[in-house]
Amino acid sequence: MSRESRMRENRASGAAGRAFALHAGAWWIWALGLATAASRTTNPLLLALLIGVAGYVVAARRTDAPWARSYGAFLKLGLAVIGIRLAFAVVLGSPIPGTHILVTLPEVPLPDWARGVRIGGRVSAEGLVFAFCDGLKLATLLVCVGAANALASPARLLKSLPGALYEAGVAVVVAMTFAPHLVADVQRLRAARRLRGRPDRGLKALLQVGLPVLEGALERSVALAAAMDARGYGRTAQVPAAVRHTTSALTLGGLLGVCAGTYGLLADTGAGYGLPLLIAGLVLALAGLHLGGRRSVRTRYRPDRWGARAWLVSASGVAVAALMIWAGTSAPQALHPPAVPLTPPALPLWPAASILIGLLPAFVAPAPDAGGAPSPQPTTHREETAK
Amino acid sequence: MIRFEQVSVSYDGAGRPALAGIDLTVPEGELCLLVGPSGVGKSTLLGTVSGLVPHFTGGTLRGRVTVDGRDTRTHRPRELADVVGTVGQDPLAHFVTDTVEDELAYGMESLGIPPATMRRRVEETLDLLGLAGLRDRPIATLSGGQRQRVAIGSVLTAHPKVLVLDEPTSALDPAAAEEVLAVLQRLVHDLGTTVLLAEHRLERVVQYADQVILLPGPGAAPVVGAPAEVMAASPVHPPVVALGRLAGWSPLPLSVRDARRRAAPLRERLEPQAPAAADDVPPGDGEPAASVSGLGVRHGHTVALHDVELSVRAGETVALMGRNGAGKSTLLRTLVGMHEPARGTVRVGGVAPHRTRPRDLLRHVGLVPQEPRDLLYADTVAAECAAADRDAGATPGTCRTLVSALLPDVSDATHPRDLSEGQRLALALAVVLTARPPLILLDEPTRGLDYAAKARLVEVLRDLAGQGHAIVLATHDVELAAELAHRVVIIAEGEIVADGPAAEVVVSSPAFAPQVAKILAPQQWLTVSQVRDALEEAS
């Protein structure tokens, strides 16, 4: 099959070949929209619905890439957050006055100066329910971030940064690719301890391989720096001194403006000059960034394009967030069901319906790998996991 | 294209210069091979071409290196990036991005090449290197040969006039190495690229070279000339050259094909003699050092080993061969209990390795991993030896005695990191031997070793086998397997596909046959030393 006809086929099926992949920024806006929505409610049914929506989209649209496999880790992290929150509620008590006492733990007597702190004591059902909903909210936030991480390669998002920020972006990308290497090194070295007849499990084993792992990471970063230098990283164009000075002035002035403006907005007085100052500062800083980009000779290879699908995906996230914020002001009771007295939470119809808008990407975003790139060969994959 | 004028390089604190008296020219469009024992400054010489020496590594460069008319003293590596493409020893350390296509484009982005040109060059390079099917693959999922090709491709897209490669085939299996060499051939022949490469495995590359630069010793002046001339006197040379020198062929053959055409008289002389059976394997009574039956191992969902049957007797040397990722390392690691068998049984010296405590297992089996450095934690050789004695419960001094036998001239205070590749391997082997395990496993022991270090390793291992140790080595090095192994086991896709006496298995396989076997087939000679002994006996 010629490349032409394969491309045509991809386009027909909406497959996520590189040319048709969704802009990474769209996925992040969508996910942050869901996260904003989650931060506006403690209704467990709505939160569960949000998790369901994010999970469904991830299941439908994630690729086979290594970063896509991180979703499971975020789910586990979410569960851990709920667990920790509940444990705190049990041990340290809860500010919620409850009448349904489940158990009474022995209370640790504390001296006078620690008044207000309680360890042990009564554990009420209301307190636990409140803690659970609170933990669930945090877990939902994590799951939303995890969804963005699984759907869009973080490296591709950084590629969309303005030219002046490029070098900072590369540093982040390199750091992110280092983390998996570091984990693999730790595993390999812990396994090697077994060969010396030392236990390969436990904290001590982990600590003892620390130094060799760091040494290895350092050597690798030096090798990478050499390779990047030899491949032309950091080549700069000659820029007239006037432009350089203007760039510095704009950026510094802009940042000052942003700081002062933010202070004005947050402080009680000065709300009048806060907003204009903030906007002016932002404009100056952006102009500085734009000018700074001239120093870099870089070009971009196949940057992500912001197409109709990207508009739809990001709009769906923004819509969910906006509707939930609006619902928060119009029907606060439904979004924050009271923990006292204990009542089963009700599913508010309109907020629930608005969350379902977040499912849109599962249908409009391009499907991964429909007749696209071949999946990794089992043999090479195997070698990787073996290491 | 590349000119060295009276170049010498010295690093601060080193007693003598790393390179001295380099005065030579590499003309455009040549494939130039840099050879020499370990530690003579091959990597330093390559570094001076890309400008990494001295701009990145420090040190003092005297004389002048020019590449395409640009002086590397005044041009930093990034300013040479459009003329020189450099690929280091470890391709993984070279990658900046996470997918194949981005990696190919990365260098061009840095050079500011217009997007339309970039797109065209990426497509061309994908085709040239046979990477089109891998374009969207994350780099972490590629095999060794594929990674090496992506690394070469990533510097090729910038259309450099010079390509500098440091040991591009050392870590690859024979087939993947041929893949990479075919690409280099194509670049030299079709695109007129000048290629300068350093390589220890001369048997793989010497026949492709137009010019050979030999660095005979540290700080010694280089010998430059046509491959056959240089090889005639070179201390490092592939088996085909050794056989040619033995038989007195002139000019020396460099490829199996050339040698075969001259070998008819030699084959006739050798006809009446059968090759001596490799070495005498002691009779197979008593319990085997290791026995594996019906073994299956899984990594997640992938099956790494399937229905493996293997038994190794005391005093026997077994070579495990097969392509990268076939399951050789997994089998070795299962024998030391790093992987739990999903099915089947593994017995090493009467115990099941994955259920035995590490400190007890130490006395039954020892593994020298692919990266011997993983075994070494201490910051001096003496401390390492003391720790090894403690771990093994051996009398203090046991390990140090072993080290002295393997590495006569290493002082107590040396940091393991400062040892050469071969010395580090010997130290790791000594650490493993401290517990006197009857079964010794080595994973890819000859990576990065020169011929001299390899010959020493062969002697040491023969000696160990003579003392009754069973040895299993996983290797891509067919010459090593031919020298050492009584038995060769070939693994493919996690299954054993061949298992038999070394001579029978390798002679019948085109990929795994050593050069001598290819030249003298159908007779079953494997090594030059066998032939030499036979000829001496005859005369």
Side-chain angles (χ1 to χ4, degrees), chain B residues 19-70:
Chain B
L19 276 181
I22 311 288
D23 197 34
L24 54 94
T25 309
V26 180
E28 186 170 355
E30 273 204 355
L31 198 158
C32 184
L33 178 63
L34 181 59
V35 303
S38 296
V40 293
K42 292 195 295 295
S43 298
T44 303
L45 182 68
L46 295 185
T48 58
V49 178
S50 57
L52 288 173
V53 176
H55 290 290
F56 195 86
T57 56
T60 315
L61 176 95
R62 291 196 182 77
R64 185 151 70 150
V65 183
T66 50
V67 185
D68 194 28
R70 289 190 211 175

Side-chain angles (χ1 to χ4, degrees), chain B residues 173-315:
Chain B
D173 62 63
E178 273 168 29
E179 227 172 64
V180 169
L181 288 169
V183 163
L184 294 182
Q185 275 282 86
R186 205 160 158 200
L187 293 176
V188 171
H189 285 230
D190 298 355
L191 302 181
T193 312
T194 310
V195 175
L196 177 60
L197 79 136
E199 182 60 71
H200 278 313
R201 301 249 173 123
L202 292 181
E203 64 272 17
R204 289 176 170 178
V205 292
V206 77
Q207 70 263 38
Y208 302 118
D210 298 309
Q211 188 185 177
V212 172
I213 302 172
L214 166 70
L215 295 174
V223 180
V224 186
E229 284 166 28
V230 176
M231 280 298 124
S234 165
V236 290
H237 51 259
V240 60
V241 168
L243 190 70
R245 286 192 198 172
L246 181 67
W249 292 328
S250 176
L252 270 181
L254 297 176
S255 66
V256 169
R257 179 169 175 265
D258 289 348
R260 246 195 105 75
R261 288 158 69 184
R262 303 243 186 82
L266 181 63
R267 276 200 295 269
E268 239 162 65
R269 272 170 71 194
L270 290 169
E271 186 69 64
Q273 282 155 308
D279 273 322
D280 295 327
V281 189
D285 52 340
E287 194 174 353
S291 71
V292 166
S293 72
L295 173 68
V297 174
R298 292 167 159 279
H299 297 313
H301 294 294
T302 47
V303 178
L305 289 176
H306 176 64
D307 204 16
V308 170
E309 303 276 342
L310 185 70
S311 149
V312 186
R313 281 175 295 157

Side-chain angles (χ1 to χ4, degrees), chain A residues 319-333:
Chain A
V320 172
L323 286 170
M324 283 296 271
I325 290 171
W326 176 73
T329 53
S330 66
Q333 277 294 319

Side-chain angles (χ1 to χ4, degrees), chain B residues 145-166:
Chain B
Q146 290 168 336
R147 277 179 195 165
Q148 194 63 261
R149 277 187 292 151
V150 172
I152 293 175
S154 70
V155 297
L156 270 189
T157 46
H159 283 197
K161 292 185 175 155
V162 178
L163 198 56
V164 177
L165 304 153
D166 199 354

Side-chain angles (χ1 to χ4, degrees), chain A residues 47-372:
Chain A
L47 289 173
L49 193 62
L50 275 167
I51 293 178
V53 165
Y56 180 78
V57 174
V58 168
R61 285 301 181 257
R62 80 164 154 183
T63 57
D64 207 19
W67 58 83
R69 298 184 204 134
S70 63
Y71 189 61
F74 277 93
L75 281 182
K76 281 182 204 147
L77 193 62
L79 284 179
V81 163
I82 297 178
I84 291 169
R85 185 71 183 80
L86 283 176
F88 268 98
V90 168
V91 176
L92 297 179
S94 163
I96 304 295
T99 50
H100 297 76
I101 305 301
L102 296 178
V103 281
T104 306
L105 295 177
E107 189 166 341
V108 180
L110 288 177
D112 266 355
W113 50 264
R115 199 177 300 157
V117 179
R118 185 165 66 98
I119 298 179
R122 284 171 297 173
V123 178
S124 69
E126 287 90 341
L128 282 187
V129 167
F130 178 78
F132 173 77
C133 292
D134 212 38
L136 188 63
K137 183 162 105 177
L138 272 179
T140 314
L141 288 178
L142 279 173
V143 166
C144 290
V145 172
N149 210 32
L151 288 163
S153 154
R156 289 201 64 75
L157 181 67
L158 288 165
K159 277 191 88 174
S160 313
L161 286 177
L165 292 180
Y166 163 78
E167 283 169 26
V170 167
V172 176
V173 171
V174 168
M176 281 191 310
T177 48
F178 256 63
H181 282 307
L182 218 55
V183 173
D185 272 2
V186 170
Q187 284 169 348
R188 206 186 66 233
L189 284 166
R190 277 175 80 177
R193 284 176 57 82
R194 199 182 162 82
L195 304 174
R196 291 288 297 260
R198 305 178 191 181
D200 56 349
R201 297 195 170 82
L203 191 65
K204 202 174 157 208
L206 193 64
L207 289 179
Q208 282 196 346
V209 301
L211 199 61
V213 165
L214 287 182
E215 256 175 36
L218 196 65
E219 274 168 31
R220 218 180 2 241
S221 34
V222 170
L224 181 65
M228 285 171 66
D229 201 2
R231 289 171 72 187
Y233 174 77
R235 277 165 81 110
T236 47
Q238 288 299 323
V239 176
V243 175
R244 276 209 311 271
H245 296 315
T246 323
T247 309
S248 321
L250 281 177
T251 317
L252 270 181
L255 287 180
L256 273 179
V258 169
C259 291
T262 318
Y263 177 78
L265 270 185
L266 295 180
D268 291 339
T269 57
Y273 70 82
L275 194 62
L277 207 57
L278 180 65
I279 292 174
L282 273 179
V283 170
L284 283 185
L286 284 178
L289 277 183
H290 178 75
L291 261 189
R294 278 214 209 159
R295 217 167 67 84
S296 146
V297 290
R298 291 180 50 81
T299 45
R300 293 229 178 108
Y301 176 73
R302 300 184 77 181
D304 281 337
R305 254 169 276 159
W306 191 278
R309 291 169 193 268
W311 279 118
L312 281 174
V313 168
S314 47
S316 70
V318 171
V320 172
L323 286 170
M324 283 296 271
I325 290 171
W326 176 73
T329 53
S330 66
Q333 277 294 319
L335 297 198
H336 297 279
V340 188
L342 268 186
T343 41
L347 185 67
L349 198 59
W350 285 112
S354 60
I355 286 174
L356 288 181
I357 298 175
L359 279 178
L360 191 68
F363 306 99
V364 299
D369 273 348

Side-chain angles (χ1 to χ4, degrees), chain A residues 188 196 235 299 302 379, chain B residues 78 101 113 374-375 493:
Chain A
R188 206 186 66 233
R196 291 288 297 260
R235 277 165 81 110
T299 45
R302 300 184 77 181
T379 50
Chain B
R78 65 189 71 157
E101 200 175 339
I113 289 168
D374 291 357
L375 272 192
E493 304 274 295

